Amino acid sequence: MAPELCVFHLKVLHVEQLCLFELSWGKGQRLTAQLNFPASLGKSYQNWRHAYVNFYQSAQMRGRKLDGGILTPNTNWYKELTNFEANLLKAFNRWLRGAELYEIRSAITKASHDAKTVQIFLTCGSTELDRFPWEAWELGTEIANKKKVYIIRVPLNIGNSVIDEQASRRPRILAILGDETGLDFRKERHALKSLFKVADVEFVGWQPGISSTQIIKDINSAIVDERGWDILFFAGHSNECEVTGGEIGVAPQVSIPINQIASKLTIARERGLKVAIFNSCSGLNIADALINLGFSQVIVMREPIHNNVAQEFLVSFLRGLAKHLNIYESMVQARQVLFHEGTYPSSFLIPSLFCHPGAKLFRIPSKKKWQQQLKDILPTRVEAVTVVVSLTLCVLNPVHELLLDTRLLFQAAYRDITSQIPNEAAPVALVEIDTQSILNAQLHNSQLYPMNRSYLAKLIERANELKAPVISLDFLIDAPQDNIPSGDKDLKRAVNNAVNQNIWFIFGTILNQNQDSELDISRTGIYNANSALKAYTDASTNFIEIPTDSSNCREICPISYLMALVYTAKQEINQLPQPRNNNQNLRTQLLNRIEQSPNTGNLSLLSQLRPILGIFPLVDYSIPPDRVYTKIPAHEFLNNLDANKSTSISKQVVLIAAGDDKRLGMAPGMPDQVIIPSAMSYWVKESSLTGGQSLAYATHHFMKQRLVFAIPDILMLGTAIIFSKIAALTIEYQLSKFHRQKVIASSIILVILYGIMVLQIYISVAILFSWLLPSSIFLAYVFSATKKSHV
């Protein structure tokens, strides 16, 4: 199993003009390297610090004094600072990309290959090195883009071990608010009080009218409280002092050196104090001193810090802790807020985490009662309304059909825009008896239902002349045609002539009322089960009929499936039963022969095709009709068929069906047509879809293996609800007020990208994922979560 965490220890020492790097990890692995320390890098830092101090010097800083430059009139210090920041980071990372460090960088990349999190404990041998923004080290895209990379600082000298036991009690925080001269701690107080839900917070510090002696006594007493603390927080003025370990201002003109309260801090450490956060200026010495005492983690500001920056940092940092991020993740979140907010240039470079190498990163434990956990999981009012409306819409058949029709319209447009139209000849020749054909043949209304069979015979004879391999008739011949005595004879003769040429002929029929058998059409003597086939034409215009395991096409069989099956069998099997002079049931012989054939090719796939979990494939109207069938009016088929179409007939399945004339159908007044799907109307200017056209689409899909299955809406909505709730909870825990608009914009972009993705998946993989309702649920959850987080 791959390790979750990969830990490195990197020590950097500055000796004259060289820097010595030593990397250790794993079970004793170690690498060393030497790298020249360029004077230009130190100069870049000094230039940056000069601009940094001057930019913020006009406002109150959390330090007693400032050095590094004098405020120069008429200087655009914002521009200067941003330029010097870019120069410093560029110089710093260029230095660390030196060839001398290649083996160290490679070792980090290789050793952490399978880890999810990389921790680099960095020890700098001098204050000069410590001042550089090591947290901004660009380790390379292979690590940084795929893993969490923690750069954690470690002091050079550590005199005490860490006590890293997690207290079973509720976390306790001691907030020391020091000298407030020129500062304002109201925002800190408010931010700390926001932790009351997950921790106990107590305040101690300077107040007007209290003597400095009493303040120091109160602070000492609070630190050694017998109940113990988990976090020590300080806000106020502080400064570096190597001799005393730094000092903090607790009252006007009153400072306490860290070494004077070291014994108190040691007692507090033994009682559970692990973490210290100094939201004040120049805290490098403070961090070294506290880690040396055995603190597990200390966050400090390495440089002077603007009062507003300190407040913004703390608010974002505490928000992370409240959401149970660990201390490093909370610091990174706060730094990112400072970086993206943009008002305070370079401020994101100032915070650093110092850690005892034996410590586990602190986080406020998440221990919720089951009632609270249930409350978090249950939908909000907005979410509940969205879910109910979406579920209601998806089970309403008219709405479902409307959504499907609209979706296929978008699929057609997407095909057209992206030029993903199938570049292949239509496999079906659709011979339609339309109004013009009826006029040319001088057929009266009495000869249209049932259809004049002598006219059908002429069409079959013509298909026979053109050597059609398979002919199918989408007209019911269940009873003799009494009004035209010669009709049955003519049709029977035409069918027999085709059979004698070993042309496979398929008669259309319908299912009986119980849907378990096909209507008998043998009474007319035209259909002979030994020389021709029959199959039912009942079909939805949206879904393709395919055989089920129970029928297996022996008792009942969809006509489009049987047309494709016969055509494919003729292409792939040499010794098929021949319709001519056959004395056994032709359909049974055909299916038996297919079962005996090798399980290869399209025929094997077609013969084994069954519904998936009761789901039937969709009719894909996003494909242009001219790539599905060659539409030939009957009068043109008989008399004026052009050479190209004549030649193609021998390679196509011929389907003879009713055209757009409303007098043709299952019964008078029941035309065999419906309103044309929107996707199909994208390609052709027609108003209706005939039954023949629908069957032609299904036949095409079988022959070209174009079977699109839709993921059920209920399953999609259920998945969307779960995913959206996870996203909403994540947003509530991670979102800062500065990112709300970005989260909303990103969510909308994500929905658009998802829409494009599902459009392409439909074409490439033949799976339909619904878009509108799942996307609506996702956006509703996100908007609700961002609104709550913003408030």
Side-chain angles (χ1 to χ4, degrees):
M1 182 179 294
E4 292 283 326
L5 175 66
C6 189
V7 178
F8 299 89
H9 296 270
L10 179 64
K11 182 182 291 185
V12 185
L13 302 178
H14 190 183
V15 181
E16 296 181 352
Q17 299 303 314
L18 290 176
C19 279
L20 308 179
F21 288 75
E22 180 183 275
L23 179 72
S24 59
W25 74 98
K27 297 181 179 180
Q29 292 101 315
R30 189 180 303 274
L31 276 176
T32 62
Q34 293 184 3
L35 184 63
N36 287 328
F37 183 78
S40 59
L41 181 57
K43 180 65 174 175
S44 295
Y45 169 79
Q46 292 299 330
N47 289 339
W48 167 81
R49 192 175 192 278
H50 174 78
Y52 174 85
V53 170
N54 277 290
F55 175 78
Y56 290 108
Q57 194 162 11
S58 60
Q60 182 62 46
M61 308 287 279
R62 293 195 172 186
R64 294 291 187 190
K65 56 185 179 181
L66 295 172
D67 55 12
I70 301 174
L71 189 62
T72 304
N74 301 322
T75 300
N76 186 343
W77 286 111
Y78 183 95
K79 182 178 180 181
E80 290 287 305
L81 178 54
T82 53
N83 288 338
F84 283 126
E85 173 191 318
N87 291 338
L88 172 61
L89 294 178
K90 182 178 179 181
F92 182 63
N93 280 290
R94 182 171 62 241
W95 177 56
L96 293 176
R97 283 195 296 269
E100 297 86 346
L101 295 185
Y102 174 78
E103 290 187 1
I104 286 180
R105 294 193 303 271
S106 297
I108 294 174
T109 301
K110 183 178 179 181
S112 61
H113 183 266
D114 294 325
K116 294 182 179 179
T117 302
V118 178
Q119 288 184 354
I120 301 176
F121 288 91
L122 171 70
T123 300
C124 294
S126 67
T127 302
E128 182 181 15
L129 288 175
D130 252 334
R131 295 192 188 282
F132 287 119
W134 291 91
E135 292 82 359
W137 184 6
E138 298 172 357
L139 281 169
T141 56
E142 184 172 355
I143 294 180
N145 289 350
K146 297 181 180 179
K147 311 173 190 303
K148 292 181 179 179
V149 180
Y150 295 176
I151 297 181
I152 303 170
R153 298 174 184 248
V154 179
L156 186 62
N157 300 309
I158 301 176
N160 290 281
S161 61
V162 69
I163 300 175
D164 205 30
E165 296 178 359
Q166 181 69 43
S168 58
R169 55 170 164 73
R170 179 178 167 90
R172 285 172 46 80
I173 301 173
L174 174 62
I176 301 175
L177 303 181
D179 180 12
E180 199 172 358
T181 303
L183 306 177
D184 184 358
F185 293 154
R186 285 179 296 179
K187 200 166 187 178
E188 274 97 340
R189 283 182 179 274
H190 180 74
L192 287 163
K193 288 179 180 179
S194 70
L195 294 179
F196 283 168
K197 293 182 179 180
V198 293
D200 296 328
V201 182
E202 294 187 16
F203 296 90
V204 65
W206 177 76
Q207 295 180 17
I210 301 178
S211 67
S212 58
T213 303
Q214 185 61 44
I215 292 171
I216 294 174
K217 182 180 179 180
D218 292 343
I219 291 174
N220 286 332
S221 298
I223 290 174
V224 297
D225 191 304
E226 291 183 354
R227 294 171 296 174
W229 306 101
D230 295 283
I231 299 176
L232 171 65
F233 172 80
F234 174 80
H237 297 288
S238 67
N239 279 295
E240 295 176 349
C241 181
E242 292 186 6
V243 177
T244 64
E247 58 184 23
I248 58 175
V250 296
Q253 307 303 317
V254 179
S255 295
I256 301 179
I258 294 297
N259 63 357
Q260 285 189 12
I261 57 173
S263 61
K264 306 295 183 183
L265 293 172
T266 299
I267 294 172
R269 179 182 68 88
E270 293 172 352
R271 292 175 176 172
L273 181 57
K274 294 177 284 295
V275 178
I277 303 165
F278 282 77
N279 204 22
S280 55
C281 289
S282 307
L284 285 175
N285 294 148
I286 296 174
D288 289 347
L290 295 182
I291 297 296
N292 186 52
L293 286 174
F295 276 55
S296 63
Q297 290 125 67
V298 181
I299 286 181
V300 297
M301 305 297 169
R302 303 189 318 278
E303 302 285 351
I305 191 75
H306 187 280
N307 183 59
N308 289 349
V309 173
Q311 293 175 342
E312 293 295 334
F313 172 83
L314 181 67
V315 170
S316 298
F317 174 80
L318 294 181
R319 185 181 289 119
L321 282 185
K323 295 172 182 175
H324 309 288
L325 302 180
N326 68 40
I327 189 170
Y328 188 90
E329 292 168 338
S330 300
M331 183 188 74
V332 169
Q333 174 178 283
R335 293 177 66 224
Q336 289 175 343
V337 169
L338 292 175
F339 175 76
H340 291 295
E341 201 273 345
T343 305
Y344 307 106
S346 289
S347 59
F348 73 99
L349 297 174
I350 309 305
S352 288
L353 171 65
F354 284 74
C355 187
H356 196 292
K360 181 181 179 181
L361 292 178
F362 175 82
R363 76 169 75 233
I364 294 177
S366 176
K367 294 182 179 179
K368 295 182 178 180
K369 296 181 179 180
W370 68 268
Q371 295 95 331
Q372 183 61 42
Q373 293 174 335
L374 180 61
K375 183 178 179 181
D376 288 345
I377 296 173
L378 290 176
T380 64
R381 181 179 299 178
V382 173
E383 294 168 354
V385 170
T386 304
V387 169
V388 170
V389 171
S390 298
L391 291 175
T392 302
L393 291 177
C394 85
V395 298
L396 295 176
N397 195 55
V399 175
H400 180 270
E401 291 183 352
L402 176 62
L403 292 176
L404 178 61
D405 183 70
T406 306
R407 171 60 185 278
L408 292 182
L409 172 61
F410 277 94
Q411 287 292 160
Y414 180 77
R415 276 189 185 276
D416 192 19
I417 293 170
T418 59
S419 300
Q420 296 186 77
I421 300 172
N423 186 21
E424 53 192 7
V428 179
L430 179 60
V431 179
E432 290 189 333
I433 302 177
D434 57 2
T435 302
Q436 188 61 49
S437 300
I438 294 172
L439 291 174
N440 289 3
Q442 298 181 353
L443 299 177
H444 304 293
N445 288 342
S446 61
Q447 297 176 300
L448 300 182
Y449 185 83
M451 186 64 199
N452 187 310
R453 291 174 186 168
S454 295
Y455 188 71
L456 294 177
K458 293 179 182 179
L459 297 176
I460 294 170
E461 292 285 3
R462 179 59 172 154
N464 187 9
E465 292 175 10
L466 297 174
K467 302 186 183 304
V470 180
I471 303 174
S472 186
L473 185 64
D474 185 22
F475 286 93
L476 190 62
I477 56 165
D478 59 320
Q481 192 171 42
D482 297 330
N483 61 331
I484 306 176
S486 62
D488 288 350
K489 295 180 181 179
D490 293 340
L491 182 57
K492 182 177 182 179
R493 182 177 62 253
V495 171
N496 289 338
N497 289 338
V499 167
N500 289 332
Q501 297 296 321
N502 279 323
I503 293 174
W504 288 72
F505 198 92
I506 305 174
F507 288 91
T509 183
I510 57 175
L511 295 173
N512 63 14
Q513 291 183 351
N514 295 326
Q515 305 286 302
D516 57 359
S517 63
E518 296 167 346
L519 183 69
D520 182 17
I521 58 172
S522 61
R523 286 192 304 150
T524 62
I526 301 173
Y527 164 71
N528 183 342
N530 294 340
S531 59
L533 304 172
K534 68 171 181 174
Y536 67 87
T537 59
D538 311 64
S540 164
T541 56
N542 291 328
F543 296 93
I544 301 173
E545 289 283 323
I546 57 178
T548 61
D549 289 328
S550 58
S551 68
N552 200 25
C553 225
R554 293 182 180 273
E555 298 298 327
I556 59 175
C557 195
I559 191 168
S560 293
Y561 177 81
L562 192 57
M563 284 191 285
L565 190 70
V566 171
Y567 184 89
T568 307
K570 287 175 66 67
Q571 300 295 315
E572 298 185 11
I573 299 179
N574 293 326
Q575 296 180 345
L576 269 181
Q578 299 299 314
R580 182 178 57 189
N581 299 326
N582 189 51
N583 56 8
Q584 298 182 38
N585 186 284
L586 185 60
R587 189 158 84 178
T588 301
Q589 286 184 296
L590 171 68
L591 296 176
N592 288 342
R593 182 65 184 91
I594 291 174
E595 287 181 356
Q596 298 167 5
S597 65
N599 291 325
T600 58
N602 291 335
L603 182 61
S604 175
L605 296 174
L606 193 58
S607 62
Q608 298 174 23
L609 182 65
R610 297 295 181 269
I612 299 177
L613 298 176
I615 302 172
F616 288 78
L618 298 172
V619 181
D620 186 4
Y621 293 113
S622 72
I623 300 175
D626 62 358
R627 305 303 166 92
V628 173
Y629 55 81
T630 303
K631 184 177 180 180
I632 308 174
H635 66 89
E636 179 183 324
F637 185 69
L638 291 173
N639 301 310
N640 302 309
L641 192 62
D642 64 50
N644 290 333
K645 291 181 180 179
S646 298
T647 304
S648 299
I649 294 295
S650 63
K651 301 176 182 178
Q652 293 176 303
V653 173
V654 173
L655 174 61
I656 301 173
D660 58 0
D661 194 292
K662 295 184 181 298
R663 292 171 292 176
L664 300 178
M666 294 298 298
M670 297 176 59
D672 187 18
Q673 55 188 255
V674 295
I675 297 175
I676 189 169
S678 299
M680 193 172 171
S681 66
Y682 179 87
W683 302 109
V684 294
K685 302 301 180 183
E686 297 178 3
S687 60
S688 60
L689 169 74
T690 67
Q693 291 170 344
S694 178
L695 294 176
Y697 262 94
T699 306
H700 166 274
H701 295 348
F702 286 127
M703 296 175 70
K704 298 299 181 180
Q705 297 294 307
R706 178 61 188 173
L707 299 170
V708 180
F709 287 90
I711 304 298
D713 286 340
I714 293 294
L715 179 60
M716 286 295 301
L717 293 186
T719 304
I721 290 169
I722 295 172
F723 176 80
S724 300
K725 190 62 180 181
I726 293 173
L729 292 175
T730 302
I731 289 169
E732 290 176 23
Y733 277 105
Q734 302 291 340
L735 184 68
S736 73
K737 65 179 181 180
F738 303 112
H739 295 162
R740 180 173 184 266
Q741 297 300 326
K742 290 184 179 179
V743 168
I744 293 175
S746 299
S747 300
I748 294 174
I749 292 173
L750 183 63
V751 166
I752 295 172
L753 292 177
Y754 169 71
I756 296 173
M757 181 184 72
V758 298
L759 288 172
Q760 186 58 47
I761 288 176
Y762 179 93
I763 294 175
S764 302
V765 190
I767 298 177
L768 186 145
F769 291 90
S770 54
W771 176 83
L772 181 61
L773 293 181
S775 297
S776 300
I777 289 175
F778 175 71
L779 290 178
Y781 272 65
V782 168
F783 291 163
S784 176
T786 54
K787 185 177 180 180
K788 286 193 294 182
S789 297
H790 186 56
V791 173

